[in-house]
Amino acid sequence: KAGVTQTPRYLIKTRGQQVTLSCSPISGHRSVSWYQQTPGQGLQFLFEYFSETQRNKGNFPGRFSGRQFSNSRSEMNVSTLELGDSALYLCASRPAPGQGREQYFGPGTRLTVT
Amino acid sequence: SQQGEEDPQALSIQEGENATMNCSYKTSINNLQWYRQNSGRGLVHLILIRSNEREKHSGRLRVTLDTSKKSSSLLITASRAADTASYFCATDAVNTGNQFYFGTGTSLTVIP
């Protein structure tokens, strides 16, 4: 099976702009989670989608949003970008939420905000 | 924050030596998982230990879990240069809808 793919891999944006990142999960996986990774804060959970519904949401401002499509692909959007949004954004998939379910991570999208 | 913490933050050892890293967490868990991340890339799942297990082995990896102390340790035996990476623990906390909480990570350097 193909792994989790994320596009684009690298992105440079300017403060105030918005950005959309895409994630395609492993075939058959219906749960997609998003994480933000920065040197100072480590891995922070953004949100999880399952069957097109947001199940959980981390402690991020409303500028961060996401959605999931019927084919389980997911997008996350960040509006009005700030310098502090520069980070590695990781997407992870699993068959479904539930105990004992490991997550499979994509390579990440490196976002730089200037 | 329910995020766990790894200790030490950084570890440097010689090839062939054993590496031990620890994880502490704050809430009751369903299971705890360890992941590896090579420089700036995605995470790779290493091993999962359930809350009712105390020890688990997988190849050169040994994981222990002490739920009374809310802590876990990861032991890598006979380390190799290829083990150089960051290691994270992730807790599947009870009553959070199986949301994962990642620790702060241990950066391991294995010197050939």
Side-chain angles (χ1 to χ4, degrees), chain B residues 4-51:
Chain B
E5 289 188 4
E6 275 93 339
D7 170 60
Q9 288 190 329
L11 181 61
S12 183
I13 60 174
Q14 296 289 329
E15 201 166 31
E17 293 181 336
N18 295 341
T20 299
M21 51 205 86
N22 305 296
C23 166
S24 60
Y25 56 92
K26 298 180 181 179
T27 63
S28 296
I29 61 171
N30 296 309
N31 64 73
L32 184 144
Q33 306 182 23
W34 284 89
Y35 288 80
R36 183 187 74 221
Q37 183 180 35
N38 290 89
S39 183
R41 309 187 73 173
L43 281 72
V44 175
H45 180 264
L46 295 175
I47 194 166
L48 178 153
I49 186 165
R50 302 185 192 284
S51 60

Side-chain angles (χ1 to χ4, degrees), chain B residues 49-60:
Chain B
I49 186 165
R50 302 185 192 284
S51 60
N52 62 353
E53 297 176 313
R54 291 296 167 258
E55 187 171 313
K56 203 159 183 182
H57 296 254
S58 176
R60 294 184 296 113

Side-chain angles (χ1 to χ4, degrees), chain A residues 35 37 41 43-45 48 55-57 88 90 94 97-103 105-107 110, chain B residues 3 30-31 33 35 37 40-45 48 50 88 92 96-100 102-104:
Chain A
Y35 296 86
Q37 185 177 27
Q41 298 296 319
L43 269 155
Q44 301 282 316
F45 171 77
E48 179 182 20
R55 288 191 74 244
N56 285 309
K57 189 176 191 304
L88 180 67
L90 292 163
R94 50 183 172 171
Q99 296 184 31
R101 302 273 191 174
E102 69 185 80
Q103 292 193 321
F105 282 81
R110 173 76 63 185
Chain B
Q3 194 174 38
N30 296 309
N31 64 73
Q33 306 182 23
Y35 288 80
Q37 183 180 35
R41 309 187 73 173
L43 281 72
V44 175
H45 180 264
L48 178 153
R50 302 185 192 284
F88 295 86
D92 179 350
T96 60
N98 303 114
Q99 180 176 321
F100 279 52
F102 280 84
T104 49

